[in-house]
Amino acid sequence: TSEAQPAHCCSSVNYLTRWKPASRMDIYVYYRVPVAHASSMQQRVRAMQHSLAQKFHIQCSLKRRPELSHDCQTWMEIYPQVPADFAAALSEAVSSHALPALIAGERHIETFVDIEACA
């Protein structure tokens, strides 16, 4: 007969039952920018990030892949340790800074939370 193994605090079952909504999260947003719009887009994104950083007291960063694909750059906005209400403010800021007009396709948003250490 096989003996039952002791439960670890980070076992998949225990982890899922212990998970709680995070009060802070990291948001990553990526999208494609045509090279012809890169300069204008950079100005708009920097202005948007500046206003968000001041309002939420956060650090923001803007990155891009070094290579081009179909005359487009892939950009990523990074917002670490933001509060739960940040996503709605980001969406509003994107609209008010008219970012969708300068991108090819859609903005893709990924949200991550820290993995809690076992007690």
Side-chain angles (χ1 to χ4, degrees):
T1 65
S2 64
E3 294 181 27
Q5 298 294 318
H8 296 285
C9 69
C10 290
S11 69
S12 60
V13 172
N14 199 15
Y15 172 75
L16 292 174
T17 58
R18 291 182 60 220
W19 185 84
K20 297 176 210 136
S23 60
R24 309 282 294 171
M25 64 186 126
D26 299 339
I27 295 180
Y28 300 87
V29 184
Y30 63 95
Y31 48 89
R32 294 168 20 103
V33 178
V35 173
H37 295 162
S39 180
S40 296
M41 185 66 165
Q42 183 176 1
Q43 291 174 0
R44 291 184 191 189
V45 173
R46 294 281 189 212
M48 178 188 76
Q49 288 186 325
H50 179 74
S51 65
L52 289 168
Q54 289 196 328
K55 180 178 180 179
F56 287 92
H57 306 287
I58 59 168
Q59 298 291 318
C60 308
S61 61
L62 178 63
K63 300 182 180 288
R64 74 171 183 90
R65 287 191 174 151
E67 70 277 354
L68 294 177
S69 175
H70 306 290
D71 294 322
C72 287
Q73 300 171 345
T74 301
W75 287 24
M76 180 173 287
E77 299 166 25
I78 302 173
Y79 304 96
Q81 296 299 300
V82 297
D85 62 342
F86 181 81
L90 176 60
S91 179
E92 185 177 307
V94 165
S95 294
S96 68
H97 285 83
L99 300 188
L102 298 179
I103 67 172
E106 296 182 19
R107 289 171 51 90
H108 304 277
I109 301 171
E110 302 286 340
T111 304
F112 290 83
V113 297
D114 290 338
I115 297 175
E116 292 184 31
C118 295

